Amino acid sequence: MPQTSMASSLVAPPSTSFFHTKKDLNLSAFSSSSSSSSQRYQKHASRKICCSVSAPQQTQRQPSTTGSVKTAMTMTEKILARASQKEQVTPGDNIWVNVDILMTHDVCGPGSIGIFKNEFGKDAKVWDREKVVIIPDHYIFTSDERANRNVDILRDFCNEQNIKYFYDIKDLSNFKVNPDYKGVCHIALAQEGHCRPGEVLLGTDSHTCTAGAFGQFATGIGNTDAGFVLGAGKLLLKVPPTLRFVMDGEMPNYLLAKDLILQIIGEISVAGATYKSMEFVGSTVESLNMEERMTLCNMVVEAGGKNGVIPPDSITYKYLEGKTSVPYEPVYSDHQARFLSEYRFDVSKLEPLVAKPHSPDNRALARECKDVKINRVYIGSCTGGKTEDFMAAAKVFLASGKKVKVPTFLVPATQKVWMDVYSLPVPGSGGKTCSQIFEEAGCDTPASPSCGACLGGPKDTYARMNEPQVCVSTTNRNFPGRMGHREGEIYLASPYTAAASALTGYVTDPREFLQ
Amino acid sequence: MAFSSATATVSQNLTFASSNKLSFSHSSSSSSTSSFNFLSFPSFQSKFCKTIISSPQITRAHAPPSPSTTTTATSSFHGLCYVVGDNIDTDQIIPAEHLTLVPSNPDEYQKLGSFALIGLPDSYAVRFIDSGETKTKYSIIIAGDNFGCGSSREHAPVALGASGAAAVIAESYARIFFRNSVATGEVYPVESETRICEECRTGDVVTVELEENRLINHTTGKEYKLKPIGDAGPVIEAGGIFAYARKTGMIPTR
């Protein structure tokens, strides 16, 4: 572990306080790129973070006066510059990027491993056994033999390669007897401390972008690219330009981050951010907890985005406490950084939203769809199956005191979320857990943690849409066939809206129960 | 294109054999470095052999031999087109229930091909692959905006390639699909200058000429401009990024 980088020792006196203005953060980070020390690419210990975000002495210093900063960069550009050991990168540059973590799962892992073996040789070793994270999560609780075989392929590979982070499951009859098993990879990555500010995370899954919530560069790649990374530890990437989304205003108590991202996707369309980075800032974003920030970044791919990022702050560091011992160094967009465009939202004026079939940008107000009769509700996935998502749903059920009118399926993302659902008291409930509230409301019993029916999966997947039904879902995609049946109709919504809809049997604005 | 800076610096000393209706294994046998590679990649080899043998309507015309330097190999494709609309996502290209198939396994590669575009809604009355068949008779897919959006599953371009499709001509692509198409060399993801999907019908006879950046619809007699495939072309021609890197000396031959 490096003692300190030149950057922080030059400009940032030791500080133990997390209470800094955003301006300070930016200036500090700005200065941190000014060092020409060879140590500048090394990382701080996590406890040094307060130093690196503390106020620099020369608060008004301009790059032109010091000559130390050539061109301002965005967060994404800075992360990629550091990972490619360059002073400077510009959108459009093709650069070789060193990878901090490569994640794969049971759907794309076997193919990636096959390519790795074909290309690097049967006896080849992965570039770093501690930087490969393998998480079975997609097709776990199924009798599909090929799906089961794919988890076996992962296990054999991890044993052979001595992979440090493999979250295995062997006994499919009861997930709880598999202490290593986590569940949905993107949530497990965060909960296990693999998402760290300033780093590069690649994963064979499009929702890898979820980890941008931690201020890291995270994006999805295919099997062939992953096979390359397994052997080489790096990948040729194009530096994306950044779109900036400034979200200010107090978040009304009937909105969740899912509403914000549906608002944005509806605004810019499913291809509005293709090849681009999406940076989320503003007082609303700063007020969100980590799981809500993950929801925001999770769906940037639904706008075509390459990655999403949120500046790390005290909420980020608090979440990471005790989860990782790996030193990391956050970066922040410079004041003068160039953004392709900037969008501003007054969150206090937004209303609960849905994305109607069959596209995530088919935005409508939930109340505009109040006549849409539904057959089921699904709460789960990397997007809407986190602890906070279940807490939100429970809050609506609690407020209504009524029973659901349609089958309501609950699939916690990970074992940790499942435990939370069964143990954490819901505020204002007199100590009841989510699971108790769900039971009283007549929901299905929370299922074993996995990706579940979000993407359909094998025919015997729990809650898979095998009939052409109408579903309100907290998941991320509503393309034809996404949850199983090709003619099924999916309304994407927040956990509030999903729970409210379950209570009425129609798409329902949660204000009917929350006010 | 993400690969451009790297490819620009690579010494390209390979010559391409000249022949119409040339099988790829034959082509590569003229090059000492790449023949070995193709023989050692079951999936790539089977793809190209299949393309030539089982889809006679596809003609890959290679560039004439050039004794000193070769910049790009050119290809043209001729066959029936299959027309789809905007935002054809990966769930429609290959529904998630088939993702248990591992593309690097040759048998499962073939099987993936038989499911290509099976997720299209019933409104597509003419299916991409006829019932009972495992290959498509449409070698060229014509699409609107944002083709391949959704998941990062490489199964999507693999399924199209394995089904016998040679190229997709779309107004635009989702990022990961485009990259996976190039990385695997499974299909040429070519962008059209204009919205062709409104003017072509499934079953029209079309020719795609990559070198001329042109699509000719012989059924309607119309021609359309395509955007240059650029440095991605030779990578796809080689059979993907690994094959290309070996062929051009970026990484050693095994």
Side-chain angles (χ1 to χ4, degrees):
Chain A
M1 202 276 302
Q3 280 305 300
T4 178
S5 86
M6 288 299 289
S8 63
S9 61
L10 277 174
V11 301
S15 159
T16 52
S17 169
F18 277 115
F19 299 99
H20 304 293
T21 67
K22 201 157 159 292
K23 186 178 162 200
D24 290 336
L25 292 176
N26 282 330
L27 279 173
S28 165
F30 197 68
S31 308
S32 73
S33 66
S34 68
S35 167
S36 58
S37 161
S38 62
Q39 289 185 49
R40 63 192 299 265
Y41 296 112
Q42 296 178 346
K43 290 167 183 176
H44 296 275
S46 53
R47 62 172 197 84
K48 295 277 185 194
I49 283 166
C50 36
C51 302
S52 71
V53 298
S54 64
Q57 296 292 295
Q58 310 98 319
T59 50
Q60 294 307 308
R61 192 172 72 167
Q62 294 299 310
S64 55
T65 60
T66 62
S68 57
V69 176
K70 294 182 188 77
T71 308
M73 288 191 281
T74 66
M75 267 180 82
T76 291
E77 290 157 18
K78 281 188 181 176
I79 296 169
L80 292 177
R82 187 160 69 192
S84 61
Q85 295 171 315
K86 290 179 187 302
E87 294 278 322
Q88 187 76 45
V89 297
T90 308
D93 289 355
N94 292 301
I95 55 172
W96 285 99
V97 172
N98 291 318
V99 177
D100 292 295
I101 296 287
L102 175 74
M103 186 283 300
T104 190
H105 50 49
D106 54 300
V107 161
C108 294
S112 303
I113 291 166
I115 288 166
F116 168 71
K117 297 250 172 186
N118 276 346
E119 302 296 345
F120 290 94
K122 277 201 298 251
D123 304 322
K125 290 285 174 194
V126 300
W127 99 100
D128 189 332
R129 70 171 199 92
E130 296 193 9
K131 292 185 173 179
V132 177
V133 179
I134 299 189
I135 310 180
D137 65 349
H138 274 60
Y139 306 155
I140 307 303
F141 307 103
T142 171
S143 58
D144 185 297
E145 286 179 9
R146 220 161 31 220
N148 298 159
R149 174 209 63 179
N150 288 347
V151 178
D152 295 340
I153 292 174
L154 296 183
R155 185 178 307 112
D156 291 345
F157 182 73
C158 289
N159 287 336
E160 168 201 305
Q161 300 279 333
N162 197 18
I163 298 294
K164 187 170 178 185
Y165 301 107
F166 173 47
Y167 300 112
D168 196 10
I169 180 161
K170 286 180 182 151
D171 186 346
L172 304 183
S173 65
N174 178 8
F175 73 91
K176 282 171 275 186
V177 302
N178 301 269
D180 292 342
Y181 179 67
K182 301 303 170 201
V184 177
C185 58
H186 310 297
I187 311 309
L189 279 170
Q191 290 175 340
E192 298 305 309
H194 299 298
C195 301
R196 294 177 292 257
E199 290 195 357
V200 172
L201 166 73
L202 300 182
T204 59
D205 191 290
S206 58
H207 291 111
T208 303
C209 53
T210 308
F214 292 84
Q216 85 177 139
F217 178 86
T219 195
I221 58 173
N223 293 1
T224 301
D225 281 338
F228 187 90
V229 175
L230 278 173
K234 56 188 174 184
L235 191 63
L236 186 59
L237 292 178
K238 181 152 71 177
V239 179
T242 300
L243 303 175
R244 180 135 87 157
F245 298 85
V246 186
M247 317 201 82
D248 285 317
E250 191 176 344
M251 186 106 140
N253 71 349
Y254 43 82
L255 291 187
L256 290 165
K258 181 67 168 281
D259 296 294
L260 305 186
I261 192 65
L262 289 178
Q263 168 73 17
I264 288 171
I265 298 167
E267 201 72 28
I268 68 174
S269 91
V270 285
T274 299
Y275 285 102
K276 300 178 184 81
S277 174
M278 297 169 72
E279 182 171 324
F280 303 100
V281 296
S283 60
T284 314
V285 178
E286 287 165 24
S287 74
L288 298 177
N289 62 47
M290 285 315 294
E291 290 194 351
E292 283 283 87
R293 293 180 189 189
M294 288 163 71
T295 305
L296 208 48
C297 289
N298 172 274
M299 285 186 72
V300 302
V301 70
E302 267 58 73
K306 186 168 193 163
N307 71 312
V309 277
I310 292 174
D313 59 14
S314 57
I315 292 173
T316 320
Y317 308 138
K318 183 81 187 155
Y319 182 96
L320 287 168
E321 265 175 28
K323 289 195 171 67
T324 181
S325 58
V326 178
Y328 57 85
E329 185 181 9
V331 294
Y332 300 91
S333 289
D334 295 325
H335 283 315
Q336 296 91 339
R338 272 178 299 192
F339 297 94
L340 203 59
S341 46
E342 184 172 282
Y343 299 80
R344 288 185 169 271
F345 297 90
D346 179 352
V347 172
S348 66
K349 294 197 169 64
L350 299 182
E351 297 186 63
L353 297 169
V354 296
K356 296 189 288 184
H358 294 281
S359 184
D361 63 0
N362 197 7
R363 181 183 65 191
L365 297 175
R367 61 182 172 82
E368 289 173 335
C369 302
K370 64 180 171 51
D371 297 329
V372 176
K373 198 169 181 350
I374 64 169
N375 308 105
R376 51 165 61 199
V377 164
Y378 186 93
I379 299 176
S381 83
C382 56
T383 314
K386 304 180 293 306
T387 300
E388 295 292 341
D389 299 314
F390 289 104
M391 289 292 229
K395 191 173 153 189
V396 175
F397 292 136
L398 186 69
S400 82
K402 294 183 181 140
K403 286 196 176 279
V404 296
K405 292 213 169 113
V406 293
T408 301
F409 304 103
L410 312 166
V411 185
T414 63
Q415 185 149 201
K416 168 83 167 68
V417 174
W418 192 94
M419 290 294 295
D420 289 347
V421 165
Y422 274 87
S423 60
L424 291 185
V426 176
S429 69
K432 283 183 190 168
T433 63
C434 289
S435 58
Q436 287 171 314
I437 293 168
F438 294 150
E439 191 178 351
E440 287 170 11
C443 301
D444 242 32
T445 306
S448 303
S450 84
C451 297
C454 167
L455 75 168
K459 289 274 192 306
D460 62 349
T461 301
Y462 171 76
R464 186 180 192 274
M465 197 141 71
N466 291 323
E467 304 290 324
Q469 295 186 325
V470 181
C471 180
V472 172
S473 178
T474 64
T475 55
N476 41 59
R477 292 190 182 132
N478 57 352
F479 299 118
R482 172 68 179 180
M483 296 186 79
H485 200 282
R486 224 157 54 190
E487 306 299 322
E489 296 190 4
I490 304 161
Y491 286 77
L492 302 178
S494 77
Y496 282 159
T497 303
S501 303
L503 289 166
T504 63
Y506 292 85
V507 173
T508 300
D509 188 316
R511 282 174 288 189
E512 290 200 14
F513 299 102
L514 290 176
Q515 285 185 335
Chain B
M1 228 304 293
F3 305 99
S4 59
S5 72
T7 57
T9 61
V10 165
S11 69
Q12 294 180 315
N13 53 7
L14 189 83
T15 58
F16 287 83
S18 165
S19 166
N20 284 335
K21 289 195 152 190
L22 183 70
S23 84
F24 238 81
S25 49
H26 178 203
S27 162
S28 53
S29 68
S30 68
S31 156
S32 59
T33 54
S34 60
S35 63
F36 175 76
N37 294 325
F38 276 104
L39 290 173
S40 62
F41 297 156
S43 68
F44 294 142
Q45 187 193 26
S46 59
K47 184 222 156 153
F48 285 105
C49 290
K50 169 271 308 152
T51 300
I52 303 306
I53 296 160
S54 68
S55 305
Q57 71 274 21
I58 300 169
T59 312
R60 289 190 180 217
H62 295 270
S66 94
S68 52
T69 59
T70 302
T71 50
T72 54
T74 58
S75 296
S76 71
F77 311 103
H78 180 74
L80 304 178
C81 71
Y82 190 83
V83 183
V84 295
D86 294 327
N87 302 320
I88 300 301
D89 80 294
T90 51
D91 283 293
Q92 294 177 72
I93 298 170
I94 182 78
E97 66 187 284
H98 304 303
L99 299 185
T100 56
L101 295 161
V102 174
S104 59
N105 175 330
D107 290 342
E108 296 180 22
Y109 170 91
Q110 297 298 342
K111 194 138 198 214
L112 268 173
S114 70
F115 294 123
L117 286 170
I118 201 169
L120 286 173
D122 295 344
S123 55
Y124 287 82
V126 179
R127 305 306 290 183
F128 183 61
I129 295 176
D130 291 338
S131 79
E133 297 296 318
T134 58
K135 301 288 175 189
T136 184
K137 60 187 178 204
Y138 306 100
S139 54
I140 293 152
I141 296 161
I142 294 178
D145 270 321
N146 205 27
F147 188 85
C149 59
S151 129
S152 64
R153 64 187 73 155
E154 201 162 278
H155 309 64
V158 168
L160 296 178
S163 75
V168 182
I169 313 295
E171 276 186 278
S172 65
Y173 292 89
R175 176 184 63 84
I176 308 178
F177 178 87
F178 183 90
R179 178 151 181 146
N180 286 344
S181 299
V182 178
T184 57
E186 286 289 341
V187 285
Y188 283 86
V190 185
E191 287 184 331
S192 57
E193 292 270 358
T194 55
R195 190 170 175 79
I196 305 180
C197 66
E198 306 281 2
E199 299 192 21
C200 295
R201 285 165 170 255
T202 293
D204 286 357
V205 179
V206 302
T207 300
V208 174
E209 295 176 340
L210 287 182
E211 193 169 63
E212 284 78 25
N213 300 315
R214 180 168 62 184
L215 181 143
I216 305 158
N217 185 329
H218 302 284
T219 306
T220 63
K222 286 189 176 175
E223 279 191 26
Y224 304 94
K225 282 191 76 173
L226 305 176
K227 293 180 184 168
I229 186 84
D231 290 343
V235 178
I236 301 162
E237 180 80 34
I241 193 158
F242 279 103
Y244 177 80
R246 291 218 161 80
K247 202 169 178 178
T248 53
M250 287 173 81
I251 58 176
T253 306
R254 285 169 297 123

